[in-house]
């Protein structure tokens, strides 16, 4: 028998455009799986020659889902160009940016869970594709879908109040922020008239978590057996090991929770990072130098953050973390656990927003600070999908001479390929004739990471998926598309 | 000042004699779109032609005309509206204007006029010309992708000592704005900001300032051109 290849193209309900190829050997066994990212945008190139202060506004255009993360990560990097660090930002600048980021993570996670992932989980990953979406979810559980939509809206309104617009705001400027929050804007989130109040938002987060946990416990064996991927986990980490989404040190732990990178200043990331390029994808493969390309790949995002942190510094989310760990252990590796972790983070963000809405500093007038001009700026942030890195070199005359972006989805590149392989292998070995189910389950595995392929390649376009089956001569045998 | 009668689109108006036509029409509630000209300007530049009207049946830049007895002006006709929008469209295709990442977005008169004229696209092909940015200034960045060659900076701006700072070099399509490096270096922050504000587009930028105003606080969001009509 000849080597063959299966193609899934396009992958659906993810952000961006991807394709999966499954390679079969002469014995008709699955040999390799590749998630190809076929978009190319070139932001790193065309930002060169632009003035440094444009970066936070320009680069965020590579994404419509998590532009705030790019906006803030670039702003953190550009802060260094003007001699400012997170520690020297004004309290108003720092807290407004943090609030913006919590709004971003909340809305992005709500979008992913309710619009992209929950239809698979709650309606069944092999249910009718025509109704496996948020509308189908609303038909099944109107109240849950409504809360999901309004939770996302709450996050978007927080972004609008802090960044100026729900998508592609402009408020983070070198050394700070150009707006504070007025009493009216704060009241908007407390009175519950136009959006759920912050108290109601927190309550809904708890209800959604309860709903998920009930589902999880009923389907635990399926969820955990879907894909177990032992990996390293990387994230920023807060003081004393607290979960941190905006600013902190860099921590990496191995599959057993041992620190493989001691908590380090992320400005030194080049000491431990390297990126590999493969000919079949526009997405790079970053890895930790001390561990090498084979073993140095990591997973980032909600599950990684939950696994790297010691605790969560908001009480309700901490309680949920304890519940998560009591069910799944201290270092769980189930890929579908990303969803549970994501819901804990939604709750954490809502609690943090509540704290900040009560903080007088967000109304402060001291918005921007400056320091001594430098030529290199490095920003790290925990974007909804994981650790995001922006690195800029700026000449003395203020033009950007180099830009490197390592986005969350890029970090998860090897992991996504591994998850696709594991899932495809399991299906192929039990029933190779399952066409639609191939698509569904492979997509579910990819979707758990909530990848943004546009961000990852800094690319343009929609994100549908295609699976190709190819023989050992690379001749296409079967293609599954939707 | 003696008053005279003029006719605009068939309607008679009594206006002061020998004043700028754009200003005279403005006092009658008729807002002629402009780009190089602004209220209070002593001398017109007449460079952009965005204010084109017909006077006595001939196309003329309104900012270059003075009110004269029995002037007959056509302004609000489909032909002239299309022509004025065509001028704006040509400016967009000749330069490289990316409003979403431009510091002057919301404060930009070209953008405001395009919005006011409901320009959704250009009927002309984009030229994607290559323009250099001039980063050599101490205070000011020249973003030539956005320059509309209106001459506001070269004709109307001077430093604290009264010296011109900006000038044009080259001819025709090669014309580009430059500055005197010695004088630019000595500009006070206040003067640099004045130059940036004088530029109707985002070609003159104060270095390092970035996006200083929140949405809603920018000039043409606070006072949209179309609300003046």
């Amino acid at each position: 028998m000849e080597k063959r290849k299966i193609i899934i193209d396009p992958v659906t309900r993810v952000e961006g455009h991807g394709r999966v190829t499954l390679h079969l050997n002469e014995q008709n066994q699955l040999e390799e799986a590749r998630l190809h990212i076929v978009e190319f945008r070139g932001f790193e190139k065309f930002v060169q020659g632009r003035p440094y202060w444009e970066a936070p506004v320009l680069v965020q255009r590579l994404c419509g889902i998590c532009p705030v993360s790019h906006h803030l990560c670039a702003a953190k990097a550009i802060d260094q160009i003007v001699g400012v660090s997170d520690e020297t930002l004004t309290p108003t600048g720092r807290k407004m940016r943090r609030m913006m980021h919590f709004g971003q993570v909340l809305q992005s996670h709500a979008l992913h869970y309710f619009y992209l992932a929950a239809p698979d989980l709650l309606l069944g990953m092999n249910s009718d594709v025509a109704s496996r979406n948020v509308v189908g979810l609303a038909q099944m559980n109107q109240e849950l879908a409504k809360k999901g939509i309004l939770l996302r809206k709450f996050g978007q309104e927080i972004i609008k109040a802090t960044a100026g617009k729900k998508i592609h705001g402009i408020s983070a400027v070198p050394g700070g922020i150009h707006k504070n929050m007025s009493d009216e804007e704060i009241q908007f989130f407390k009175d519950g008239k136009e959006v759920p109040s912050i108290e109601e938002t927190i309550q809904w987060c708890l209800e959604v978590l309860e709903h998920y946990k009930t589902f999880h416990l009923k389907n635990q064996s399926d969820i955990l057996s879907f894909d177990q991927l032992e990996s390293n986990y990387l994230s920023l980490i807060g003081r004393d090991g607290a979960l941190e989404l905006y600013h902190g040190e860099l921590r990496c732990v191995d599959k057993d929770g041992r620190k493989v990178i001691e908590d380090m200043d992320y400005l030194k990331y080049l000491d431990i990072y390297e990126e590999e390029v493969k000919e079949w994808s526009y997405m790079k493969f970053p890895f930790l130098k001390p561990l090498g390309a084979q073993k140095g790949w990591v997973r980032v995002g909600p599950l990684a953050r939950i696994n790297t942190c010691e605790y969560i510094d908001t009480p309700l989310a901490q309680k949920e973390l304890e519940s998560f760990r009591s069910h799944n252990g201290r270092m769980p590796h189930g890929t579908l656990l990303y969803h549970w972790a994501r819901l804990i983070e939604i709750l954490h963000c809502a609690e943090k927003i509540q704290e900040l809405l009560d903080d007088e500093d967000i109304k402060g007038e001291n918005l921007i600070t400056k320091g001594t001009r430098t030529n290199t700026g490095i920003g790290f942030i925990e974007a909804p999908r994981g650790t995001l890195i922006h690195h800029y070199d700026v000449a003395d005359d203020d033009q950007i001479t180099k830009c490197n972006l390592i986005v969350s989805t890029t970090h998860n590149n090897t992991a996504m390929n591994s998850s696709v392989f594991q899932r495809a292998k399991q299906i192929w070995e039990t029933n190779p004739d399952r066409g639609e189910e191939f698509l569904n389950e492979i997509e579910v595995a990819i979707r758990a990471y909530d990848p943004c392929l546009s961000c990852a390649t800094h690319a343009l376009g929609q994100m549908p998926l295609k699976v190709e089956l190819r023989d050992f001569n690379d001749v296409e045998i079967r293609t599954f598309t939707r | 000042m003696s008053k005279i009668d003029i006719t605009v689109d068939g309607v008679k108006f009594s206006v002061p004699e020998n004043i700028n036509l754009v200003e005279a029409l403005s006092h009658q509630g008729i807002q002629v779109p402009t780009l190089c000209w602004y209220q209070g300007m002593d001398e017109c530049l007449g460079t952009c032609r965005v204010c084109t009207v017909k006077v006595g049946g001939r196309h003329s830049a309104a900012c270059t005309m003075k009110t004269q007895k029995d002037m007959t002006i056509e302004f609000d006709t489909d032909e002239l509206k299309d022509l004025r929008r065509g001028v704006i469209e040509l400016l967009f295709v000749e330069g490289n204007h990316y409003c979403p990442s431009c510091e002057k977005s919301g404060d930009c008169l070209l953008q405001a006029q395009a919005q006011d004229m409901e320009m959704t696209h250009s009927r002309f092909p984009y030229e994607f010309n290559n323009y250099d940015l001039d980063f050599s200034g101490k205070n000011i960045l020249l973003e030539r992708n956005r320059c509309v060659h209106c001459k506001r900076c070269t004709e109307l701006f001077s430093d604290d000592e009264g010296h011109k700072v900006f000038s044009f070099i080259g001819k025709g399509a090669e014309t580009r704005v430059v500055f005197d490096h010695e004088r630019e270096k000595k500009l006070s922050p206040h003067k640099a900001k004045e130059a940036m504000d004088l530029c109707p587009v985002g070609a003159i930028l104060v270095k390092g300032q970035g996006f200083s105003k929140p949405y809603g606080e920018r000039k043409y969001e606070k006072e949209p051109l179309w609300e003046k009509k």
Side-chain angles (χ1 to χ4, degrees), chain A residues 49-54 57-58 61 163-165 168-171 173-174 178-179 370 396-400, chain B residues 99-103 105 133 135-138 141 143 145-146 205-215 218:
Chain A
R50 300 303 307 171
Y52 69 78
W53 57 86
E54 261 185 24
V57 172
L58 185 59
R61 293 271 163 183
K165 276 206 310 183
H168 301 138
I170 56 170
S171 66
V173 293
H178 71 201
K179 85 179 283 288
K370 278 200 174 166
D396 288 339
D397 65 7
D398 295 342
Q399 64 178 308
I400 296 170
Chain B
C99 301
S101 61
C102 177
E103 297 86 331
S105 186
L133 280 73
F135 283 93
S136 63
K138 182 185 165 209
L141 166 66
E143 214 312 10
N145 287 291
R146 302 168 186 163
L205 301 168
V206 175
K207 277 193 160 185
Q209 184 169 291
F211 300 77
S212 59
K213 291 184 200 164
Y215 285 112
R218 304 181 302 181

Side-chain angles (χ1 to χ4, degrees), chain A residues 298-343:
Chain A
V298 299
R299 286 206 282 186
V300 298
L303 181 62
R305 292 189 285 254
I306 290 295
N307 279 348
T308 56
C309 79
E310 310 294 339
Y311 71 103
I312 300 179
D313 64 357
T314 53
L316 298 174
Q318 169 61 20
K319 211 170 149 199
E320 292 298 331
L321 175 68
E322 289 163 14
S323 168
F324 176 89
R325 286 180 175 166
S326 72
H327 282 102
N328 303 304
R330 178 62 183 82
M331 286 299 296
H333 302 294
T335 298
L336 292 188
L337 290 174
Y338 263 91
H339 299 303
W340 190 342
R342 202 166 276 127
L343 294 177

